[in-house]
Amino acid sequence: MNNSVVNTGRMVWAALRMLFVLTVVTGILYPLAVTGIGQALFHDNANGSIVKVDGKEVGSKLIGQSWNIKGTDQPDPKWFQGRPSNSNYDPLATGSSQLGASNPKLVKMVKAAKEQVAAFNGVDESEVPKDAVTGSASAIDPDISPAYADIQVKRVAKANGLTVARVQKLVDEHTDGRTAGFLGEPHANVLELNIELRELAKN
Protein backbone atom coordinates (compact mmCIF):
# COMPACT_ATOMS: atom_id res chain seq x y z
CA MET A 1 0.00 0.00 0.00
CA ASN A 2 2.82 2.36 0.91
CA ASN A 3 4.64 1.57 -2.34
CA SER A 4 1.45 2.28 -4.28
CA VAL A 5 1.07 5.65 -2.61
CA VAL A 6 4.72 6.49 -3.24
CA ASN A 7 4.51 5.48 -6.90
CA THR A 8 1.34 7.50 -7.37
CA GLY A 9 3.01 10.50 -5.75
CA ARG A 10 5.99 10.18 -8.08
CA MET A 11 3.78 10.01 -11.15
CA VAL A 12 1.77 13.05 -10.03
CA TRP A 13 4.96 15.00 -9.35
CA ALA A 14 6.38 13.98 -12.76
CA ALA A 15 3.14 15.04 -14.45
CA LEU A 16 3.19 18.39 -12.67
CA ARG A 17 6.79 19.00 -13.70
CA MET A 18 5.95 18.13 -17.30
CA LEU A 19 2.93 20.45 -17.20
CA PHE A 20 5.09 23.26 -15.85
CA VAL A 21 7.81 22.78 -18.48
CA LEU A 22 5.33 22.59 -21.36
CA THR A 23 3.47 25.63 -20.06
CA VAL A 24 6.68 27.65 -19.97
CA VAL A 25 7.86 26.43 -23.41
CA THR A 26 4.59 26.56 -25.35
CA GLY A 27 2.80 29.27 -23.38
CA ILE A 28 5.64 31.75 -22.83
CA LEU A 29 8.88 31.04 -24.68
CA TYR A 30 7.38 30.02 -28.04
CA PRO A 31 4.93 32.97 -28.29
CA LEU A 32 7.72 35.38 -27.30
CA ALA A 33 10.04 33.90 -29.92
CA VAL A 34 7.41 34.06 -32.68
CA THR A 35 6.44 37.61 -31.70
CA GLY A 36 10.10 38.67 -31.63
CA ILE A 37 10.79 37.18 -35.06
CA GLY A 38 7.62 38.76 -36.46
CA GLN A 39 8.52 42.20 -35.11
CA ALA A 40 12.12 41.94 -36.28
CA LEU A 41 11.59 40.54 -39.78
CA PHE A 42 7.97 41.37 -40.64
CA HIS A 43 7.27 44.45 -38.54
CA ASP A 44 4.74 46.01 -40.93
CA ASN A 45 2.68 42.85 -41.47
CA ALA A 46 2.85 41.82 -37.81
CA ASN A 47 1.29 45.13 -36.82
CA GLY A 48 -1.55 45.02 -39.34
CA SER A 49 0.09 46.98 -42.18
CA ILE A 50 -1.66 50.13 -40.98
CA VAL A 51 -1.49 53.07 -43.41
CA LYS A 52 -1.35 56.65 -42.14
CA VAL A 53 -1.94 59.87 -44.05
CA ASP A 54 -1.02 63.16 -42.36
CA GLY A 55 -0.59 61.23 -39.11
CA LYS A 56 -4.09 59.74 -39.26
CA GLU A 57 -4.83 56.04 -39.72
CA VAL A 58 -6.80 55.55 -42.94
CA GLY A 59 -6.86 51.76 -43.17
CA SER A 60 -4.78 48.65 -43.65
CA LYS A 61 -3.06 47.44 -46.80
CA LEU A 62 -4.33 43.97 -45.89
CA ILE A 63 -8.04 44.78 -45.58
CA GLY A 64 -10.34 46.19 -48.26
CA GLN A 65 -12.77 48.98 -47.48
CA SER A 66 -15.75 50.80 -48.95
CA TRP A 67 -15.22 53.77 -51.25
CA ASN A 68 -18.81 54.97 -51.40
CA ILE A 69 -20.16 58.49 -51.48
CA LYS A 70 -20.27 59.56 -47.84
CA GLY A 71 -23.54 58.62 -46.16
CA THR A 72 -24.75 56.45 -49.05
CA ASP A 73 -24.28 52.96 -50.44
CA GLN A 74 -23.37 54.36 -53.88
CA PRO A 75 -19.78 54.03 -55.14
CA ASP A 76 -17.96 57.34 -55.40
CA PRO A 77 -16.78 57.97 -59.00
CA LYS A 78 -13.70 59.81 -57.69
CA TRP A 79 -12.14 56.64 -56.27
CA PHE A 80 -10.96 53.30 -57.50
CA GLN A 81 -13.40 50.66 -56.29
CA GLY A 82 -12.46 47.29 -54.79
CA ARG A 83 -14.00 43.86 -55.13
CA PRO A 84 -17.55 43.27 -53.87
CA SER A 85 -17.71 42.24 -50.23
CA ASN A 86 -20.23 39.84 -48.73
CA SER A 87 -19.46 41.26 -45.26
CA ASN A 88 -19.13 44.95 -46.16
CA TYR A 89 -15.38 44.58 -45.55
CA ASP A 90 -15.87 43.66 -41.89
CA PRO A 91 -12.72 41.77 -40.79
CA LEU A 92 -14.72 40.16 -37.98
CA ALA A 93 -17.21 38.62 -40.41
CA THR A 94 -15.04 37.28 -43.20
CA GLY A 95 -16.26 34.67 -45.63
CA SER A 96 -17.84 34.34 -49.04
CA SER A 97 -21.54 34.04 -49.79
CA GLN A 98 -21.09 30.23 -49.96
CA LEU A 99 -23.15 30.12 -53.14
CA GLY A 100 -22.01 27.66 -55.80
CA ALA A 101 -20.97 28.88 -59.26
CA SER A 102 -24.15 27.48 -60.81
CA ASN A 103 -26.49 28.75 -58.10
CA PRO A 104 -29.27 30.80 -59.81
CA LYS A 105 -29.10 33.47 -57.12
CA LEU A 106 -25.36 33.96 -57.62
CA VAL A 107 -25.70 33.96 -61.41
CA LYS A 108 -28.37 36.67 -61.15
CA MET A 109 -26.26 38.72 -58.72
CA VAL A 110 -23.18 38.53 -60.95
CA LYS A 111 -25.19 39.50 -64.04
CA ALA A 112 -26.64 42.53 -62.26
CA ALA A 113 -23.23 43.50 -60.88
CA LYS A 114 -21.65 43.26 -64.33
CA GLU A 115 -24.29 45.60 -65.76
CA GLN A 116 -23.73 48.09 -62.92
CA VAL A 117 -19.94 48.02 -63.16
CA ALA A 118 -20.05 48.43 -66.95
CA ALA A 119 -22.45 51.38 -66.73
CA PHE A 120 -20.54 53.02 -63.85
CA ASN A 121 -17.25 52.87 -65.73
CA GLY A 122 -18.62 53.50 -69.21
CA VAL A 123 -17.34 50.26 -70.71
CA ASP A 124 -18.86 47.28 -72.46
CA GLU A 125 -19.89 44.34 -70.25
CA SER A 126 -17.39 42.15 -72.07
CA GLU A 127 -14.58 44.29 -70.59
CA VAL A 128 -15.66 43.73 -66.98
CA PRO A 129 -13.24 41.27 -65.30
CA LYS A 130 -14.36 38.58 -62.87
CA ASP A 131 -12.96 40.23 -59.75
CA ALA A 132 -15.14 43.30 -60.40
CA VAL A 133 -18.31 41.28 -59.85
CA THR A 134 -17.29 38.47 -57.50
CA GLY A 135 -16.08 38.66 -53.92
CA SER A 136 -13.00 36.92 -52.61
CA ALA A 137 -13.10 33.96 -50.22
CA SER A 138 -12.33 36.30 -47.32
CA ALA A 139 -14.65 39.12 -48.48
CA ILE A 140 -11.99 41.66 -47.48
CA ASP A 141 -9.54 41.40 -50.39
CA PRO A 142 -7.65 44.74 -50.56
CA ASP A 143 -6.40 44.19 -54.12
CA ILE A 144 -7.87 44.26 -57.61
CA SER A 145 -6.60 42.93 -60.91
CA PRO A 146 -4.86 45.27 -63.38
CA ALA A 147 -7.80 44.67 -65.73
CA TYR A 148 -10.28 45.98 -63.15
CA ALA A 149 -8.07 48.97 -62.39
CA ASP A 150 -7.73 49.73 -66.10
CA ILE A 151 -11.47 49.96 -66.80
CA GLN A 152 -11.78 52.49 -63.96
CA VAL A 153 -9.06 54.84 -65.22
CA LYS A 154 -11.20 57.05 -67.50
CA ARG A 155 -13.96 57.46 -64.93
CA VAL A 156 -11.49 58.29 -62.12
CA ALA A 157 -9.55 60.71 -64.32
CA LYS A 158 -12.71 62.59 -65.33
CA ALA A 159 -14.08 62.78 -61.79
CA ASN A 160 -10.80 64.19 -60.46
CA GLY A 161 -9.96 66.53 -63.34
CA LEU A 162 -6.85 64.55 -64.27
CA THR A 163 -5.61 63.23 -67.60
CA VAL A 164 -6.23 59.62 -68.48
CA ALA A 165 -2.53 59.16 -69.14
CA ARG A 166 -1.57 60.33 -65.64
CA VAL A 167 -4.07 58.08 -63.92
CA GLN A 168 -3.03 55.13 -66.10
CA LYS A 169 0.57 55.77 -65.12
CA LEU A 170 -0.50 55.72 -61.48
CA VAL A 171 -2.09 52.29 -61.98
CA ASP A 172 0.99 50.98 -63.77
CA GLU A 173 3.27 52.24 -60.99
CA HIS A 174 1.16 50.54 -58.31
CA THR A 175 0.64 47.20 -60.03
CA ASP A 176 2.65 44.40 -58.46
CA GLY A 177 3.50 41.19 -60.28
CA ARG A 178 3.39 37.63 -59.03
CA THR A 179 5.29 36.94 -55.81
CA ALA A 180 8.64 35.32 -56.64
CA GLY A 181 7.56 35.41 -60.27
CA PHE A 182 5.03 32.59 -60.03
CA LEU A 183 2.87 32.89 -56.90
CA GLY A 184 -0.51 34.60 -57.07
CA GLU A 185 -1.66 37.04 -59.72
CA PRO A 186 -0.65 40.61 -60.67
CA HIS A 187 -2.60 43.06 -58.53
CA ALA A 188 -2.99 46.66 -57.39
CA ASN A 189 -3.77 47.70 -53.83
CA VAL A 190 -6.88 49.88 -53.84
CA LEU A 191 -5.99 51.83 -50.70
CA GLU A 192 -2.53 52.71 -51.99
CA LEU A 193 -3.98 53.72 -55.37
CA ASN A 194 -6.52 56.03 -53.79
CA ILE A 195 -4.01 57.62 -51.43
CA GLU A 196 -1.75 58.51 -54.37
CA LEU A 197 -4.79 59.61 -56.37
CA ARG A 198 -5.78 61.98 -53.57
CA GLU A 199 -2.33 63.59 -53.70
CA LEU A 200 -2.51 63.91 -57.48
CA ALA A 201 -5.94 65.55 -57.34
CA LYS A 202 -4.63 68.13 -54.85
CA ASN A 203 -2.02 69.42 -57.31
Side-chain angles (χ1 to χ4, degrees), residues 46 58 71 82 103 123 133 173:
V58 295
N103 186 291
V123 299
V133 294
E173 290 173 345

Side-chain angles (χ1 to χ4, degrees), residues 22-70:
L22 290 175
T23 298
V24 171
V25 172
T26 62
I28 300 176
L29 298 180
Y30 178 73
L32 286 176
V34 171
T35 300
I37 292 172
Q39 290 296 329
L41 302 180
F42 311 101
H43 181 77
D44 190 42
N45 287 345
N47 289 287
S49 297
I50 301 299
V51 178
K52 292 183 178 181
V53 175
D54 299 329
K56 180 181 178 181
E57 293 183 359
V58 295
S60 167
K61 289 187 291 186
L62 305 177
I63 300 175
Q65 58 181 280
S66 171
W67 295 95
N68 291 339
I69 297 172
K70 190 173 182 180

Side-chain angles (χ1 to χ4, degrees), residues 59-140:
S60 167
K61 289 187 291 186
L62 305 177
I63 300 175
Q65 58 181 280
S66 171
W67 295 95
N68 291 339
I69 297 172
K70 190 173 182 180
T72 75
D73 60 356
Q74 300 300 312
D76 194 327
K78 294 189 303 182
W79 305 115
F80 283 96
Q81 299 294 320
R83 297 184 68 171
S85 173
N86 186 59
S87 67
N88 196 30
Y89 306 102
D90 183 355
L92 299 179
T94 59
S96 69
S97 65
Q98 302 299 316
L99 297 176
S102 61
N103 186 291
K105 183 179 179 181
L106 180 62
V107 172
K108 184 177 181 181
M109 288 169 55
V110 169
K111 185 177 184 300
K114 181 174 286 191
E115 292 174 354
Q116 292 171 359
V117 171
F120 184 60
N121 291 287
V123 299
D124 189 82
E125 287 185 31
S126 62
E127 297 181 57
V128 177
K130 292 180 181 178
D131 64 311
V133 294
T134 58
S136 64
S138 68
I140 57 172

Side-chain angles (χ1 to χ4, degrees), residues 139-153:
I140 57 172
D141 191 347
D143 304 319
I144 56 175
S145 67
Y148 187 21
D150 287 344
I151 69 167
Q152 300 186 63
V153 168

